[in-house]
Structure formats: C-alpha cells, structure tokens
C-alpha cells in the first residue's frame, strides 16, 4: 500500500484531519488512526472532516446511472458492493484509486463469506470454520428472515446483475473480486444520509473498533433524497407544476466538486478525550456482540459483555407461527413490562430490556445467563398451553397467548417466591399460589429444554452434542493457520457455556419446587 499516495489524495479531496491526529500504516498491512500528540486531545473535537463529494456511493460512482439505489437491508449492501467493485475494476481511472489502494487487497475474512470457495480459493480453514457456525448466533447473522443464506443471494446477484453490467462496460469481473468488494462494504460502510445511503467513507473507515471508543461518525442525514443538497433546492418546492428529476435523470444534481456540495461533510467527532499517543477508536455498534463481529468484521473481542443468545429466527428453536402471533406476542410483552416491572426487578433469572433492545432481543439469554422478559413470557405461554388451567381448556395456542396478560402479575410474583425457595427452601403451604408455582415449574422445564436442545444442535455435525472437553481438545489441536476455525470454535464454546448456565439455573428452580412440593404434601406439582 502506498500511504503517501493516499495522504496526498486526502489533501486533493479536501479531507482534513485534526493537527494532532495521524494516519499510519498498521503491522497487518492496513492503516489506523493515532494521536501524535504528547498531550491529551480534549473532548469535544472534530478529528476528521470528509466532504460528501469524497465519499463513494451508488449515487457518486461512475456507473451511478446504471445502478438502482437501495436504501436499506442486504439490497443496499449489494448495490454499494457493485458500485465499489466497478471502481476497483477501473483501476487508475477511478477518482477513488488512491483510496481503494489503501484498502485490503484480499477479501476481509468476515464470517459471511467463509462458505464460499471463490472467496478463499484453496483454503481449508474458511470451509472448516463455516461448518462450525450451525446453530450459533453467527448463523442468524448469515441468513435472512426466512432462513435463506445471504451468501446465496450475493452470488445470485453477481450472476444476474454484476456480470452482465460490468462485461457490457468492457470489464472482466470475477466472483472472488466481487466478494472482496462485498467484504469491504460489510466491514467498512456507513449509512451517511438519505441521498447517498450506505457509503464508503475514506478516513472514517480507518478507525478500528472497540466498545470504549473515542470517536463516532456524524452526518446531516436529512438532505434532499433526489439531489443530495443540504441547503434548499428546487426539489423542496411543493408546486406540482414544477417537474421533479427522476433518479435516472438527476436534473438538479449539483456537480460533486462544486462548493455548495462540498460544504456538507461527514465528521468524526470525539465522545471522550483521547490519551497522548493512543490509537483512536470508533465503535461499529455499542451493542454488537461477538457473533455480529465475526460475521461482519471477521474478529471477536475478549470480555463478551454484549454477547447474547437469541431465539425467534429460523434454526433458533423458537419460531412464532404467524405474523399475527408475532404482533400479539410483542403486544403482550409490552404489557407485561408494565404489569411485571416491580416484581421482575427482584428476579435473578430474568432481566428487563431497554426500549431500544425490545425487538432485537425480545427472546434472549444475556451474557450473565439471564433470560429476557419476553423469553420468560414465552415459557409461561408454553407452560399454560401444555397444562392449561380450567379457564383455558379447549383454547387454541393463539387464544391462550391473547389471554396471557391476565396471568402475568401473579406469575411474576410466584417466580420471585420460587427463586427464594431455590435459594433458601421453605415453600410452605400456600394453596392460593399452587397453580402459579405449577406454571413456574412448567416454564422452567421449557426453558431448560430449549437451551439444552439448542446446545445439542450447535457446531459441526459430527461434534453436535459432544462434551465441552471433547470440543476443547479439538480447539487445542488446531494448527496456527486455522485462525478462522479457532475463532468460531472459541465463540461456540462461550455461547454454549452461556446456554448451559441458563439451563442449569432453571433446572435448579424446577427441581427445588418439586422437592419442596413433595415435602409439603405432594399436591402442587403432581400431574
């Protein structure tokens, strides 16, 4: 990599850095951002400012008129990959050539492409690592909502869209080259604004990741979606007689290098002071766990504070039958948070999510082995359908779900009492709570079974259900060149330990209730 070529290009494109910030070559052949000051860089500061005229997007690439902008989801990733790959193939003719030269020259080892022989030709490690993903949270990252592999969609897009377009332009595309571009987009792209959408942002993507980050990206998102203008533009007029430009013919699009366009920037802004001489870190997501990091970036962090195991996706062990059930279940959980909050805060086995986590981790086990309130409510639902009380007899599972809020307050109270039993004993005779304890026992059994079943289906097929000692021996026997397999196996073992700890906690609760019930007369939990 020619670092000087890249640094000179930054000046030409009017990309500025704080006086005490430098871009340097990394030992791995990449680049990173460091403080070159002997004093702290005090917050708040702008450490880098990138004119939007310098970013590479579907809107700004040379083939912009031939690529349909997609604003969200995997389609946005594929469209930007095509834009980036088209510029890679243009070589020195690309206005982003010095920037592209600063990027890794081979595919980034993200988990999303391990299963492609084209991405890593002749390499056994990636193919082996892909076999260990099954049943883990990484599998969720590698498939769509219907359980279809994203890699299949990526390869199909290459054949149906990328090859025909680029060949018609006289280029010679290859799947390996496209997957390299795909890995760069997955691991480096930012959502910039309502015009550019997902974009490659020079310098911003040079900051490495940590959860204790120094900087974050800032951008004015609300620009004109037709021409990208931050200032008032003709598209702001509401006069229906004024013709608006279509995406394919951007009549009002300001030339990329004009002063009015360049005034809009993407900035890297401090969130804390930067120590003297330290590497400057961004975060790729404050709540990202190691499954996401492996799939999207090809690495994992020690500590795993954000790791969790989720359910509710194809292959997870729980999948609600219909969209209606999903909507009703979310509504029940939302009501449950209000009705059960005071009781659940005293539980050591159940945690309540922040509002922004509710959908992403509706059914989850966190890094402490606690389950989400949503997962507990699912288990109560399961228990009530398996052994319904008289008022629920003959009702469908969906109808039981709709009736669930009427049972939640007393069940939450019974859970806290049951946890006290598990810790201290002495259930005592409490006929008013006998049915609630029966529900708790059923829910505990469902949760333990859910976790144990998930564990039994994790990893490489011939090792599913193997002991931790056996898997540890496999890990210890891996040669140094099997870095990807080592990465996923270490992650699998940590996820398995989390699930087994969760299962053991609910088994202890179930067994303690059964023991105390037997001592007190044997009626509460008998079939």
């Amino acid at each position: 990599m020619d670092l000087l070529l890249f640094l000179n290009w930054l000046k030409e494109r009017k990309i500025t850095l704080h006086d005490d910030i430098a871009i340097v070559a990394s030992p791995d052949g990449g680049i990173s951002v460091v403080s070159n000051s002997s004093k702290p860089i005090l917050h708040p500061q702008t450490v880098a400012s990138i004119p939007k005229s310098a970013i590479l997007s579907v809107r700004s690439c040379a083939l912009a008129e031939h690529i349909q902008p997609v604003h969200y989801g995997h389609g946005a990733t594929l469209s930007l990959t095509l834009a980036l790959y088209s510029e890679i193939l243009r070589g020195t003719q690309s206005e982003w050539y010095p920037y592209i030269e600063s990027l890794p020259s081979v595919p980034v080892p993200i988990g999303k492409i391990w299963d492609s022989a084209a991405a890593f030709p002749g390499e056994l490690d990636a193919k082996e690592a892909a076999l260990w993903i099954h049943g883990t949270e990484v599998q969720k990252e590698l498939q769509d909502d219907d359980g279809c592999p994203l890699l299949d969609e990526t390869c199909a897009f290459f054949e149906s869209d990328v090859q025909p377009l680029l060949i018609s332009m006289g280029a010679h595309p290859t799947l390996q080259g496209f997957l390299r571009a795909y890995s760069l987009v997955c691991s480096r792209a930012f959502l910039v604004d309502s015009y550019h959408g997902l974009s490659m942002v020079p310098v911003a993507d040079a900051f490495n990741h940590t959860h204790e980050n120094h900087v974050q990206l800032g951008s004015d998102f609300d620009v004109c979606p037709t021409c990208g203008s931050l200032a008032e533009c003709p598209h702001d007029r509401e006069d229906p007689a004024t013709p608006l430009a279509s995406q394919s013919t951007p009549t009002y699009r300001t030339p990329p290098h004009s002063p009015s366009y360049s005034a809009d920037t993407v900035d890297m802004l401090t969130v804390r002071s930067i120590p003297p001489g330290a590497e400057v870190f961004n975060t790729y997501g404050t709540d990202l766990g190691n499954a996401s990091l492996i799939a999207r970036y090809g690495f994992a962090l020690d500590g795993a504070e954000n790791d969790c195991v989720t359910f509710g996706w194809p292959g997870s062990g729980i999948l609600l039958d219909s969209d209606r059930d999903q909507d009703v279940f979310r509504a029940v959980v939302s009501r449950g948070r209000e009705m059960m909050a005071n009781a659940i805060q005293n539980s050591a086995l159940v945690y309540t999510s922040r509002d922004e986590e509710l959908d992403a981790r509706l059914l989850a086990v966190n890094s402490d082995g606690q389950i989400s309130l949503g997962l507990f409510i699912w288990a109560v639902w399961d228990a009530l359908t398996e052994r319904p009380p008289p008022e629920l007899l003959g009702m469908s599972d969906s109808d039981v779900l709709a009736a669930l809020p009427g049972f939640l307050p007393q069940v939450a109270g019974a859970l806290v009492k049951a946890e006290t039993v598990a810790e201290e004993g002495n259930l005592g005779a409490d006929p008013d709570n006998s049915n609630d304890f029966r529900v708790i026992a059923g829910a505990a059994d469902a949760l333990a079974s859910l976790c144990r079943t998930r564990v039994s289906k994790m990893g490489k097929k011939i090792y599913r259900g193997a002991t931790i000692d056996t898997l540890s021996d496999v890990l210890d026997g891996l040669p140094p060149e099997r870095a990807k397999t080592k990465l996923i196996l270490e992650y699998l073992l940590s996820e398995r330990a989390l699930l087994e700890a969760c299962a053991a906690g609910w088994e202890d609760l179930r067994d303690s209730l059964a023991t105390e019930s037997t001592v007190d007369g044997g009626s509460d939990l008998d079939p």
Side-chain angles (χ1 to χ4, degrees):
M1 182 201 69
D2 190 339
L3 181 58
L4 183 59
L5 175 69
F6 178 54
L7 295 177
N8 286 335
W9 181 81
L10 297 183
K11 294 178 182 177
E12 292 172 6
R13 302 305 295 265
K14 295 182 169 42
I15 297 174
T16 59
L17 300 176
H18 187 282
D19 289 342
D20 294 328
I21 290 292
I23 296 175
V24 299
S26 301
D28 61 2
I31 58 176
S32 57
V33 184
V34 299
S35 164
N36 58 12
S37 174
S38 60
K39 298 179 180 179
I41 300 175
L42 300 178
H43 173 66
Q45 298 284 342
T46 298
V47 301
S49 186
I50 305 100
K52 287 185 180 177
S53 58
I55 70 174
L56 198 170
S57 72
V58 169
R59 299 284 200 172
S60 65
C61 72
L63 296 185
E65 293 183 358
H66 302 276
I67 304 175
Q68 179 66 36
V70 180
H71 299 291
Y72 57 88
H74 194 234
T77 299
L78 295 177
S79 292
L80 179 58
T81 300
L82 172 52
L84 173 60
Y85 189 40
S86 70
E87 294 295 334
I88 290 173
L89 292 178
R90 296 185 72 217
T92 56
Q93 293 182 338
S94 171
E95 61 180 285
W96 288 278
Y97 174 72
Y99 164 62
I100 291 170
E101 284 294 291
S102 75
L103 302 174
S105 59
V106 296
V108 181
I110 62 173
K112 287 184 176 181
I113 59 172
W114 284 353
D115 204 26
S116 171
F120 307 100
E123 182 187 306
L124 297 177
D125 185 30
K127 198 70 177 178
E128 174 73 8
L131 298 175
W132 288 97
I133 289 174
H134 188 273
T136 69
E137 283 296 294
V138 181
Q139 178 184 335
K140 175 187 175 184
E141 292 280 336
L142 271 54
Q143 62 187 34
D144 62 19
D145 292 342
D146 296 321
C148 300
L150 295 177
L151 183 60
D152 289 354
E153 182 183 355
T154 302
C155 293
F157 180 74
F158 174 76
E159 293 181 1
S160 64
D161 292 63
V162 178
Q163 272 189 314
L165 174 60
L166 296 182
I167 290 174
S168 73
M169 298 293 176
H172 302 283
T174 65
L175 181 56
Q176 183 183 25
F178 182 72
L179 289 176
R180 176 208 168 201
Y182 178 75
S183 72
L184 291 170
V185 169
C186 288
S187 59
R188 289 173 172 262
F190 295 89
L191 184 61
V192 169
D193 61 31
S194 58
Y195 175 73
H196 287 285
L198 197 66
S199 306
M200 303 296 290
V201 185
V203 175
D205 61 7
F207 293 84
N208 289 316
H209 166 81
T210 183
H211 290 307
E212 299 296 324
N213 55 304
H214 305 104
V215 299
Q216 65 182 12
L217 182 138
S219 175
D220 287 304
F221 187 85
D222 294 323
V223 301
C224 175
T226 303
C227 71
S229 176
L230 178 61
E232 184 177 357
C233 72
H235 304 100
D236 294 327
R237 296 181 59 180
E238 296 181 354
D239 182 357
T242 302
L244 298 182
S246 68
Q247 292 178 345
S248 60
T249 56
T251 307
Y252 296 110
R253 180 176 175 184
T254 310
H257 298 296
S258 73
S260 63
Y261 190 93
S262 298
D264 191 8
T265 60
V266 177
D267 301 314
M268 298 305 294
L269 309 169
T270 59
V271 296
R272 70 184 74 226
S273 296
I274 302 168
E279 181 174 356
V280 185
F281 288 98
N282 186 17
T283 180
Y284 303 159
T286 55
D287 292 329
L288 288 184
N290 277 332
S292 298
L293 294 176
I294 290 170
R296 305 177 199 179
Y297 305 101
F299 68 88
L301 296 175
D302 294 334
E305 292 181 2
N306 290 320
D307 279 359
C308 68
V309 178
T310 62
F311 300 88
W313 49 271
S316 67
I318 298 176
L319 194 61
L320 299 180
D321 291 336
S322 66
D323 290 342
R324 179 184 178 276
D325 278 355
Q326 292 177 28
D327 292 340
V328 172
F329 186 78
R330 286 186 173 87
V332 169
V333 173
S334 182
R335 289 188 62 188
R337 293 184 70 187
E338 300 173 0
M339 301 167 68
M340 305 165 72
N342 291 336
I344 289 299
Q345 68 182 357
N346 298 313
S347 171
L349 295 174
V350 181
Y351 73 93
T352 54
S353 304
R354 302 191 303 270
D355 288 341
E356 60 268 26
E357 291 180 340
L358 188 58
D359 282 337
R361 299 182 178 182
L362 185 67
L363 302 165
V365 180
N366 69 12
S367 59
D368 294 323
Q370 298 173 306
I371 66 167
S372 65
L373 180 62
L375 189 53
F376 176 66
I377 289 174
W378 169 85
V380 172
W381 180 26
D382 183 85
L384 288 174
T385 56
E386 288 295 318
R387 297 180 62 184
E391 59 267 41
L392 298 180
L393 283 173
M395 294 175 63
S396 68
D397 290 358
S398 295
D399 289 338
V400 172
L401 174 60
L404 205 54
F407 293 83
L408 294 180
Q410 62 266 34
V411 169
L415 170 65
V416 176
K417 289 183 181 179
E419 290 183 47
T420 302
V421 170
E423 184 175 351
E424 302 175 3
N426 189 26
L427 178 66
D430 193 352
D432 292 337
N433 284 323
S434 61
N435 286 331
D436 296 333
F437 285 130
R438 184 179 294 111
V439 172
I440 294 298
D445 193 58
L447 290 163
S449 176
L450 178 70
C451 293
R452 297 293 184 193
T453 300
R454 177 77 172 260
V455 166
S456 71
K457 296 180 179 180
M458 290 170 61
K460 190 175 180 180
K461 189 171 184 178
I462 62 173
Y463 286 102
R464 290 173 196 166
T467 66
I468 286 183
D469 287 343
T470 298
L471 296 179
S472 297
D473 288 342
V474 174
L475 177 62
D476 292 340
L478 291 173
E481 62 270 20
R482 294 294 180 89
K484 299 180 186 68
T485 305
K486 180 179 180 181
L487 178 65
I488 186 61
L489 193 46
E490 287 176 338
Y491 174 76
L492 182 150
L493 285 168
S494 68
E495 186 173 304
R496 174 168 172 166
L498 190 159
L499 283 166
E500 291 186 340
C502 180
W506 289 100
E507 286 165 348
D508 287 346
L509 182 68
R510 177 199 62 196
D511 295 345
S512 66
L513 286 174
T515 300
E516 289 295 324
S517 176
T518 300
V519 169
D520 290 330
S523 61
D524 284 356
L525 301 176
D526 288 344

